[in-house]
Amino acid sequence: MSMIDELIACVRELGARGLTPATSSNFSVRLDRERIAITISGRDKTKLVGADLMEINLRGQPLDPALKSSAETALHTQIYREIPDARCVLHTHSLAQTVASKLFAASGGIHFRDYELLKGLSGHDTHEDEVVLPVVRNSQDMNQIMDAIAQWLQPTPRCPGYLIEGHGIYTWGTSINDAKRHLEVFEFLLGAELELSRLRAN
Ligand SMILES: [Zn+2]
């Protein structure tokens, strides 16, 4: 299966699971050193086809000037530039991501501790680990989000994802499957943290 076909199958599945409401969310895969395929904004992700993807370079410029990619393209290309082994970036807007991003925005990040599922994140082979998922403020100016997240893309072991307040998650991996597994880990852990905070409040 080609990388494009693999990405389409992955996006349709995430759409069917309710992670991409109202044509939101965007997805990309690195085709080679310079070229990235990214979803065109506004398309129904549950019915994604090849024509819903376009090619851009690492600076976010479209290879076909007649096509215009999402305003959030810059967030994808930032990840590919900063993390050379990133092959796929998944950005979704699920309910758990959105609620958790608002609940934890003031603390700047969500600390996940002692979760067996942390082993699903590349580079983390024990649950006795702490992973901080950063939360940055939302903005329609992508430069502001890029500046806020830049420091988090540096440390090792870095967390392969971040939340944008009231918006959703960005996650990536060295393959489409790797990125999808990270998304599933974060989706589960965010749901767990929200459930715990609900129970503790009672
Ligand atoms: Zn978005």
Side-chain angles (χ1 to χ4, degrees):
M1 202 192 281
S2 75
M3 295 283 277
I4 296 280
D5 289 342
E6 205 184 319
L7 184 68
I8 289 171
C10 170
V11 171
R12 285 186 181 187
E13 186 184 328
L14 297 175
R17 288 200 224 161
L19 273 76
T20 69
T23 77
S24 70
S25 311
N26 40 66
F27 305 89
S28 65
V29 67
R30 196 200 289 262
L31 301 173
D32 57 35
R33 277 170 58 101
E34 262 297 306
R35 290 181 314 138
I36 292 157
I38 189 165
T39 47
I40 297 172
S41 53
R43 306 292 167 95
D44 182 346
K45 305 304 183 295
T46 64
K47 300 186 178 80
L48 201 76
V49 293
D52 296 329
L53 288 153
M54 60 180 287
E55 285 189 25
I56 55 170
N57 63 23
L58 274 181
R59 291 166 300 288
Q61 296 154 333
L63 271 62
D64 176 351
L67 296 174
K68 195 176 181 307
S69 63
S70 151
E72 289 183 49
T73 297
L75 302 182
H76 288 249
T77 52
Q78 179 188 31
I79 293 165
Y80 290 117
R81 284 195 310 270
E82 296 294 327
I83 305 168
D85 66 358
R87 289 296 302 273
C88 174
V89 176
L90 305 176
H91 167 53
T92 57
H93 292 213
S94 78
L95 185 63
Q97 292 155 15
T98 306
V99 175
S101 71
K102 290 171 91 82
L103 192 64
F104 294 96
S107 42
I110 305 175
H111 294 248
F112 297 123
R113 263 182 227 105
D114 298 328
Y115 281 109
E116 182 67 18
L117 219 60
L118 286 173
K119 294 190 328 196
L121 300 178
S122 296
H124 298 270
D125 45 18
T126 164
H127 72 277
E128 292 169 351
D129 208 351
E130 181 184 82
V131 172
V132 182
L133 178 67
V135 185
V136 299
R137 296 238 174 266
N138 199 14
S139 172
Q140 297 310 313
D141 178 355
M142 293 307 128
N143 289 315
Q144 285 184 8
I145 298 177
M146 288 164 72
D147 285 350
I149 203 59
Q151 55 161 327
W152 288 97
L153 299 179
Q154 302 301 329
T156 348
R158 58 170 83 90
C159 175
Y162 65 87
L163 283 173
I164 305 174
E165 185 182 359
H167 182 158
I169 200 167
Y170 271 83
T171 186
W172 56 87
T174 55
S175 65
I176 293 170
N177 276 338
D178 202 37
K180 183 165 174 258
R181 193 184 67 252
H182 291 165
L183 181 61
E184 288 172 349
V185 169
F186 290 130
E187 184 68 8
F188 179 88
L189 296 181
L190 291 172
E193 285 294 319
L194 290 176
E195 190 63 24
L196 280 170
S197 56
R198 235 186 321 257
L199 292 168
R200 284 174 183 144
N202 288 332

